[in-house]
Amino acid sequence: MVVTNFHDVENNQIARELWVFNLATFTNYQLTFGNPEVNDFCPEISPDRAEVVFIDPERDKRQGSELYKIDISGENLQFLADNTKLGSDSGIGLDETCPRWSPDGSQIIFIKWGGYPGTLRDIYRINKDGTGLIPLANTELTEEQMSWSHSGNKILFRRSAPNLNEIYTMNKDGSNPQKITDGLNPTFSPNDKYIAFNRWYVSRYNLHIRNLQTGNEYRLDRGWNPEFWAVYVPKWSPDGSKIIQQCGDAYTRHVCLFNLNYNDLRNSEIIDLTGRFWRIVNHYEWLSNDEIIVNALEEDGDDRFNMFIVNVGTLDVRRITDGTFRNDYKGKIGLSRSGIRAI
C-alpha cells in the first residue's frame, strides 16, 4: 500500500510525502521526496502495481494542485496535469476527489476545477503517459465523486449544486450521461449490478443500495445507531457480500460493517466495527473478504494516527505501525485494486 506520511524536515516544518508499506514483510520505504512546501496526497496504485498516481498542491508551483505519476520504485516522476482538485470546500472528504486508474491501467480520471473555493469541479480523463487530456463531464454543475465500473466501460459520478445531489453514469468517453438516482458517494458493486450510495433520510445520511437491473432501492438502517451518520464513500468487499463505511457523529468516526442479505437487503446486519477500539478512524480499505486496514487515532495521548488490520469476523486487531510512521489524517490509503496484498 502507499500512504501519506508526515514528518519534520527542517526548522520544525512539516512535509507530507508518500511511503510504500509492504503488507507481506511489514517493511516500508519513502517514495517521494521534497521540502516543507511539498505535500503529496491521494495515492493510488495502478492495477499492475508498477506505478502510483497522486496529487501535490505545491511541488512545481503550477496553476492549482498538480497530478503526478511515479514508478513504485520511486523513479520516473512525471507531471500529468494542473488545476486538479484536492478535497472539497463543500464538506466532501479528500478520498472522494482523488484520481482513479481505469481497470486496465491505461487511463486516469480526476477532478479539474477553477482554482478557488466555490468554482466548478469537472471530471477529466488522461492517458497514463500524459496524452489525451479530455473533459468527460463538463457542465455548469459540479461533477465529482467518480469511480470506474469494474468492466471499465462506465463511470459513476455525483452531479451537484446547492440543494442538489444526483448520481449519474456515463460511458468511459463521457457520452450518454444518465441520471440513476438522488444521493452522493456512489460506488459500483464488484459485479457492476448494484450501486451503494448515501441519501439524507429524516435527520441523517443512511446507506442505500440500488439494483441497476430492476431499479429497486433499499435503505440499510436496521440496528443503525440513531446518533450516527453515514460519512464518506461506502466500500464493497471483493466478493460483494459486505460493505464498510465510515459512520459517526460530531465527535466520533468509526467504521460500520454491513453484512448484506441479498434476499432481504433492508434487514442486512449492521455492526459498529471499530467503536470498541478507537474514537477516530479516518481511512479504511478492504484487504480481503475477511480483513480491512484502517488509519486510526489511538486513545493514549499520542496524537498520531497508526495503521491497523482488523478481522471483520473475529474483531482481532493487529497494529502494523509503531508511531514513528506518522500517517496524516489526510493520508488516504492507496491500494492496488487487483491483488491488494502485493504491495
Side-chain angles (χ1 to χ4, degrees):
M1 68 180 180
V2 179
V3 298
T4 298
N5 186 32
F6 73 103
H7 60 96
D8 299 329
V9 289
E10 57 182 41
N11 300 322
N12 292 320
Q13 297 186 78
I14 299 296
R16 293 175 173 88
E17 295 156 339
L18 301 184
W19 286 65
V20 175
F21 195 96
N22 189 309
L23 291 173
T25 63
F26 297 107
T27 58
N28 61 75
Y29 62 88
Q30 189 170 348
L31 184 65
T32 60
F33 296 82
N35 55 58
E37 295 183 339
V38 170
N39 292 282
D40 299 330
F41 296 117
C42 277
E44 182 161 290
I45 303 172
S46 61
D48 64 3
R49 311 162 197 161
E51 299 172 298
V52 178
V53 65
F54 66 96
I55 292 176
D56 191 309
E58 302 285 349
R59 182 173 290 272
D60 287 340
K61 301 295 185 182
R62 298 174 189 261
Q63 180 67 33
S65 298
E66 298 120 26
L67 182 70
Y68 289 89
K69 178 170 66 75
I70 192 171
D71 292 350
I72 197 69
S73 63
E75 301 175 314
N76 300 320
L77 177 68
Q78 180 185 357
F79 165 80
L80 295 178
D82 59 15
N83 262 345
T84 57
K85 176 60 179 169
L86 178 68
S88 174
D89 51 275
S90 60
I92 299 167
L94 182 73
D95 187 13
E96 285 72 10
T97 55
C98 290
R100 309 291 187 196
W101 289 94
S102 61
D104 66 2
S106 66
Q107 298 174 323
I108 301 159
I109 54 175
F110 65 101
I111 301 295
K112 282 176 71 72
W113 70 315
Y116 56 90
T119 55
L120 297 179
R121 296 176 289 279
D122 295 307
I123 301 171
Y124 279 68
R125 192 190 71 200
I126 194 169
N127 297 329
K128 76 169 191 174
D129 63 2
T131 63
L133 176 66
I134 61 169
L136 296 182
N138 190 1
T139 68
E140 294 184 358
L141 299 175
T142 285
E143 287 93 14
E144 56 194 352
Q145 294 184 339
M146 67 289 180
S147 60
W148 293 88
S149 65
H150 292 76
S151 68
N153 295 322
K154 296 284 186 179
I155 295 172
L156 185 66
F157 65 98
R158 170 198 178 199
R159 178 170 285 170
S160 64
N163 301 313
L164 175 71
N165 285 299
E166 297 178 334
I167 294 171
Y168 278 73
T169 60
M170 61 182 169
N171 295 333
K172 65 179 180 179
D173 62 0
S175 64
N176 195 31
Q178 293 187 348
K179 180 181 174 181
I180 300 300
T181 190
D182 295 311
L184 67 162
N185 296 329
T187 56
F188 279 110
S189 65
N191 62 9
D192 293 333
K193 293 182 179 180
Y194 298 85
I195 62 169
F197 63 97
N198 298 136
R199 181 186 291 154
W200 187 265
Y201 177 75
V202 182
S203 61
R204 62 188 183 273
Y205 284 106
N206 287 100
L207 179 67
H208 292 68
I209 289 180
R210 180 183 177 94
N211 186 318
L212 294 177
Q213 296 176 324
T214 65
N216 293 334
E217 293 185 353
Y218 309 91
R219 187 179 72 252
L220 279 62
D221 62 357
R222 181 186 179 190
W224 184 253
N225 184 328
E227 302 298 323
F228 277 4
W229 288 19
V231 189
Y232 300 154
V233 169
K235 299 181 179 181
W236 298 80
S237 61
D239 65 359
S241 67
K242 307 176 188 72
I243 291 175
I244 52 173
Q245 178 160 30
Q246 192 182 67
C247 56
D249 54 28
Y251 306 101
T252 63
R253 289 290 184 268
H254 300 173
V255 174
C256 287
L257 172 71
F258 297 78
N259 286 313
L260 301 179
N261 177 2
Y262 282 95
N263 293 320
D264 186 6
L265 280 169
R266 288 190 178 90
N267 286 315
S268 296
E269 180 186 31
I270 304 173
I271 299 171
D272 182 357
L273 198 60
T274 63
R276 59 181 287 191
F277 304 116
W278 313 288
R279 183 173 61 89
I280 301 292
V281 176
N282 272 322
H283 299 284
Y284 48 97
E285 295 284 354
W286 287 97
L287 292 178
S288 67
N289 291 316
D290 301 314
E291 290 184 325
I292 65 171
I293 187 167
V294 301
N295 175 24
L297 179 66
E298 290 187 286
E299 300 291 342
D300 60 1
D302 185 67
D303 197 30
R304 294 183 181 182
F305 286 90
N306 275 289
M307 312 299 291
F308 301 83
I309 293 176
V310 182
N311 186 298
V312 300
T314 65
L315 298 186
D316 290 337
V317 174
R318 286 178 288 156
R319 176 174 170 170
I320 62 172
T321 55
D322 60 6
T324 59
F325 191 74
R326 299 171 62 190
N327 188 242
D328 191 357
Y329 72 98
K330 293 183 177 179
K332 174 185 178 289
I333 304 169
L335 297 170
S336 170
R337 307 268 167 162
S338 58
I340 285 173
R341 280 206 174 274
I343 297 296

